[in-house]
C-alpha cells in the first residue's frame, strides 16, 4: 500500500465503506473535466461545496484555470499510505481522483452544521458576567477564550487521540503563568497515551493517567468561557475536547471547593462574604448528619439538659435507631436529587418538589422520623450545593456517609477521626506534582 497508483485505491475505498449507507460516490465537472468524488453524506454538504468551487472559478475568470486550481481548498495529494485516505474521509473531507495522475486528492469540503450556536450556559448560572457558554465545536470554544485573553503568552496546542475513533483536543495554557512541570507532564502523558480512544471524559482521564478512585476530582469543569479564562490566568492548564461543551482545567486544588473565578466581578468584601458562606456550607454538609446521630444516640450528655430533653421528645415514637433514621432519609434525598436531574426540565422540579413535600409530611406524621431530622436533612442538602463546581458537591455527598458511619459507632471520637482522616487524605493528594492543599497553582498565594 505504499504506492497508491500501483494499487487500486478506489476499489479498496469502496470495499472498506461499502456497508455504510452514507458513503456516496458522485461525478462532478471541474475545470471542464469529469471528476469522481467520494465522501460521507452525513458529514459533507456536497451542494454547498460545489457552489463554493463555482464561485472561486468564476471569480478568477473562465479561462484562467491554473489560478483557480491554486485557490481551491486542496489540502494535499496523497502519496503515502491508504490509511491517509480513509482518515481524511472520516474527518469530513472530500476525496477526488486526479484526472491527470490518478492519485487521490483530499479537498476541504463544507460540512453540515453539527454544533449549536453560541448560547447561554445550560448547567451553570453566571451572575455579574457574560452569559455565553461553550459549544460542541472545538474551534468556536477556542475563539471564545481568545476573545477574553488577547495575550501572546497564550499557547494553544492541538492533539489527535485514539486509534479506532479519533478525537481532537486542544491543550491551552499561559506560558508566563502556568507551572512548566505541570505543562510538560500533561504533554508527556498525551503523547504517551495518544493511541487510547477518548469517547467520554473518563477516557481523557485515563490518557492523563488520573487516579481511578478519588474522593475529590483532580480537575475542574465549566461551561463558562470566563471561568476557563480565569483558570488559565491563575496558572491552570485547560483542555478542550471536540464535541464537548466544557472546559477541563488541571490541576484542582482545595481552594476550588469554595472559590468561583467569577467572584472577581464583585467587590472584595462581597467576595470574602460569599466564600465564607461556602466554607460554612462544606462544614455543615459533612458534619451535621453525623453530629445528629452523636447527640441522639451515642453522646447525648454533650447537650444541655433542656436541649437534650427537647431532642428526645422530637424522636418520641420513632421505631428506628437514629442511624437507620438518618441513613434512610439521606438515601431518599439522594434519589430526589437524581430524579430532579434526570427528569425533563418542564416537569422535573415540579414533581420532585411536590413529591418531597408530600413524602416528608407523611413520614413525619407516621412517626417514622423526627421533625428535627427533617430540619437537619434540609440544611444538609442546601449546604451541599453551596460549593463551587458540581463535581465537588458529589465528593462531599459521598464523604458524609463515612462521617455518619464512624459517628454512629464511636460517637464524637469517630466524628473527629473522620475529619482528621479527610485532612490527611487531602494532604497526600497530588495532581501533576501539585499538592491538593496548595492555595495557588502558581506556587504563591494570589491576591484574590
Amino acid at each position: 500500500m505504499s504506492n497508491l497508483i500501483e494499487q487500486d485505491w478506489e476499489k479498496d475505498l469502496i470495499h472498506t465503506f461499502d456497508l455504510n449507507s452514507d458513503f456516496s460516490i458522485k461525478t462532478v465537472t471541474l475545470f471542464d473535466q469529469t471528476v469522481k468524488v467520494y465522501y460521507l453524506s452525513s458529514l459533507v454538504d456536497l451542494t454547498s461545496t460545489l457552489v463554493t468551487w463555482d464561485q472561486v472559478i468564476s471569480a478568477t475568470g473562465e479561462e484562467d484555470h491554473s489560478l483557480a486550481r491554486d485557490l481551491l481548498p486542496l489540502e494535499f495529494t496523497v502519496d503515502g499510505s491508504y490509511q491517509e485516505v480513509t482518515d481524511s474521509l472520516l474527518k469530513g473531507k472530500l476525496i477526488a481522483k486526479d484526472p491527470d495522475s490518478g492519485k487521490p486528492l483530499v479537498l476541504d469540503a463544507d460540512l453540515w452544521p453539527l454544533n449549536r450556536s453560541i448560547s447561554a450556559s445550560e448547567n451553570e448560572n453566571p451572575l455579574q458576567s457574560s452569559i455565553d457558554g461553550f459549544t460542541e465545536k472545538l474551534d468556536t470554544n477556542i475563539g471564545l477564550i481568545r476573545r477574553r485573553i488577547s495575550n501572546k503568552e497564550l499557547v494553544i496546542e492541538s492533539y489527535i487521540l485514539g486509534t479506532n475513533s479519533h478525537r481532537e483536543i486542544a491543550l491551552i495554557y499561559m506560558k508566563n503563568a502556568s507551572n512548566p512541570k505541570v505543562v510538560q507532564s500533561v504533554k508527556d502523558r498525551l503523547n504517551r497515551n495518544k493511541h487510547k480512544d477518548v469517547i467520554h471524559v473518563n477516557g481523557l482521564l485515563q490518557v492523563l493517567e488520573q487516579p481511578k478512585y478519588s474522593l475529590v476530582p483532580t480537575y475542574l469543569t465549566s461551561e463558562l468561557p470566563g471561568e476557563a479564562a480565569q483558570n488559565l490566568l491563575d496558572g491552570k492548564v485547560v483542555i478542550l475536547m471536540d464535541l464537548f461543551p466544557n472546559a477541563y482545567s488541571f490541576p484542582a486544588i482545595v481552594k476550588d471547593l469554595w472559590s468561583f473565578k467569577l467572584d472577581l466581578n464583585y467587590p472584595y468584601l462581597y467576595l470574602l462574604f460569599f466564600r465564607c458562606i461556602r466554607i460554612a456550607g462544606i462544614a455543615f454538609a459533612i458534619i451535621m448528619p453525623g453530629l445528629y446521630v452523636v447527640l441522639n444516640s451515642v453522646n447525648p450528655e454533650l447537650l444541655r439538659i433542656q436541649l437534650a430533653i427537647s431532642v428526645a421528645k422530637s424522636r418520641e415514637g420513632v421505631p428506628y435507631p437514629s442511624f437507620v433514621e438518618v441513613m434512610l432519609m439521606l438515601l431518599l434525598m439522594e434519589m430526589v436529587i437524581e430524579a430532579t436531574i434526570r427528569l425533563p426540565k418542564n416537569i422535573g422540579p415540579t414533581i420532585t418538589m411536590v413529591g418531597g413535600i408530600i413524602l416528608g409530611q407523611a413520614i413525619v406524621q407516621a412517626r417514622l422520623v423526627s421533625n428535627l431530622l427533617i430540619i437537619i436533612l434540609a440544611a444538609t442538602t442546601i449546604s451541599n450545593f453551596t460549593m463551587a463546581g458540581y463535581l465537588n458537591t458529589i465528593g462531599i455527598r459521598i464523604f458524609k456517609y463515612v462521617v455518619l458511619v464512624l459517628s454512629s459507632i464511636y460517637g464524637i471520637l469517630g466524628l473527629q477521626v473522620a475529619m482528621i482522616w479527610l485532612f490527611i487524605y487531602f494532604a497526600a493528594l497530588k495532581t501533576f506534582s501539585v499538592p491538593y492543599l496548595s492555595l495557588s497553582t502558581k506556587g504563591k498565594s494570589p491576591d484574590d
Side-chain angles (χ1 to χ4, degrees):
M1 292 192 177
S2 60
N3 193 328
L4 289 171
I5 300 179
E6 294 178 359
Q7 75 172 64
D8 191 351
W9 64 267
E10 291 180 282
K11 183 178 179 180
D12 290 340
L13 192 67
I14 294 172
H15 177 73
T16 302
F17 293 95
D18 186 48
L19 297 178
N20 294 275
S21 60
D22 60 342
F23 177 64
S24 300
I25 306 173
K26 299 289 184 182
T27 301
V28 301
T29 301
L30 185 63
F31 307 122
D32 297 329
Q33 291 181 307
T34 300
V35 179
K36 187 177 290 186
V37 294
Y38 304 86
Y39 65 98
L40 297 177
S41 59
S42 58
L43 298 178
V44 175
D45 184 354
L46 183 62
T47 303
S48 176
T49 302
L50 294 177
V51 170
T52 302
W53 290 359
D54 289 339
Q55 291 174 348
V56 172
I57 294 172
S58 61
T60 58
E62 295 183 0
E63 298 181 356
D64 193 1
H65 286 174
S66 61
L67 178 60
R69 185 184 289 267
D70 293 337
L71 292 176
L72 281 179
L74 175 63
E75 292 206 340
F76 56 87
T77 301
V78 179
D79 294 315
S81 67
Y82 172 71
Q83 185 67 32
E84 293 181 53
V85 178
T86 58
D87 288 347
S88 299
L89 189 74
L90 291 171
K91 291 177 182 178
K93 306 299 182 182
L94 193 146
I95 311 299
K97 182 178 181 180
D98 191 326
D100 298 327
S101 66
K103 293 181 179 181
L105 305 176
V106 178
L107 291 162
D108 196 9
D110 293 341
L111 302 180
W112 295 109
L114 298 177
N115 64 296
R116 59 180 172 85
S117 59
I118 297 173
S119 59
S121 170
E122 294 289 334
N123 300 311
E124 295 181 68
N125 185 25
L127 299 176
Q128 297 284 105
S129 175
S130 58
I131 62 173
D132 55 342
F134 286 121
T135 69
E136 289 84 3
K137 190 174 181 180
L138 183 60
D139 289 339
T140 304
N141 294 342
I142 293 174
L144 290 173
I145 292 180
R146 280 283 191 193
R147 290 190 183 115
R148 284 165 172 78
I149 305 179
S150 299
N151 193 317
K152 64 181 181 180
E153 299 294 331
L154 181 66
V155 179
I156 300 174
E157 300 181 11
S158 179
Y159 291 84
I160 303 294
L161 304 179
T163 302
N164 300 317
S165 176
H166 291 173
R167 174 79 66 190
E168 184 179 3
I169 71 166
L171 174 65
I172 309 175
Y173 59 93
M174 297 289 295
K175 280 201 299 185
N176 61 343
S178 59
N179 188 329
K181 292 182 179 179
V182 173
V183 174
Q184 190 59 46
S185 179
V186 173
K187 289 182 180 180
D188 291 343
R189 298 181 191 194
L190 288 175
N191 290 321
R192 185 164 59 244
N193 301 308
K194 63 182 179 181
H195 62 280
K196 294 184 178 180
D197 294 330
V198 178
I199 307 299
H200 38 61
V201 179
N202 270 337
L204 177 64
L205 297 180
Q206 291 176 13
V207 169
L208 295 175
E209 300 175 4
Q210 297 302 290
K212 187 175 182 180
Y213 301 104
S214 178
L215 186 61
V216 292
T218 56
Y219 64 98
L220 302 178
T221 178
S222 178
E223 287 184 284
L224 303 176
E227 192 84 6
Q230 189 59 48
N231 280 330
L232 286 168
L233 295 174
D234 286 345
K236 295 185 186 296
V237 173
V238 172
I239 292 180
L240 300 175
M241 289 200 298
D242 193 28
L243 302 182
F244 276 76
N246 288 288
Y248 305 95
S249 304
F250 295 86
I253 56 177
V254 68
K255 184 181 177 182
D256 297 322
L257 287 172
W258 60 77
S259 174
F260 276 112
K261 304 305 179 184
L262 296 182
D263 288 343
L264 298 174
N265 293 324
Y266 296 96
Y268 191 71
L269 181 62
Y270 299 172
L271 179 150
L272 291 178
F273 173 72
F274 292 148
R275 293 184 177 179
C276 288
I277 291 295
R278 293 182 194 128
I279 293 173
I282 296 172
F284 272 57
I286 294 175
I287 295 174
M288 288 188 71
L291 188 61
Y292 174 82
V293 173
V294 169
L295 298 179
N296 265 291
S297 301
V298 188
N299 298 111
E301 67 276 4
L302 296 174
L303 294 173
R304 293 184 61 183
I305 185 62
Q306 296 89 345
L307 185 56
I309 293 173
S310 177
V311 170
K313 284 184 178 180
S314 71
R315 295 199 71 252
E316 186 178 357
V318 176
Y320 306 113
S322 58
F323 171 74
V324 176
E325 178 189 16
V326 174
M327 185 65 75
L328 176 66
M329 292 305 296
L330 285 177
L331 292 177
L332 185 61
M333 183 55 65
E334 298 290 353
M335 296 177 190
V336 171
I337 294 172
E338 284 301 304
T340 305
I341 296 172
R342 308 302 170 195
L343 284 172
K345 291 183 178 180
N346 55 346
I347 64 172
T350 302
I351 290 179
T352 52
M353 181 181 65
V354 173
I357 293 174
I358 294 174
L359 188 60
Q361 184 68 22
I363 287 177
V364 172
Q365 289 183 350
R367 288 292 180 180
L368 296 177
V369 300
S370 66
N371 288 314
L372 180 59
L373 178 59
I374 298 299
I375 299 173
I376 298 294
L377 181 68
T380 302
T381 304
I382 293 171
S383 300
N384 270 328
F385 296 101
T386 60
M387 281 168 281
Y390 177 70
L391 289 178
N392 288 326
T393 67
I394 299 176
I396 297 301
R397 281 162 60 186
I398 294 173
F399 184 68
K400 72 173 180 280
Y401 292 103
V402 177
V403 177
L404 178 61
V405 171
L406 291 178
S407 299
S408 64
I409 298 174
Y410 300 109
I412 193 65
L413 178 61
L415 179 60
Q416 293 173 348
V417 168
M419 296 306 299
I420 293 172
W421 177 85
L422 178 64
F423 287 116
I424 294 174
Y425 175 78
F426 283 171
L429 187 62
K430 288 185 178 182
T431 306
F432 299 115
S433 73
V434 176
Y436 187 74
L437 291 183
S438 301
L439 294 179
S440 172
T441 53
K442 292 181 179 180
K444 60 181 180 178
S445 180
D447 294 335
D448 60 324

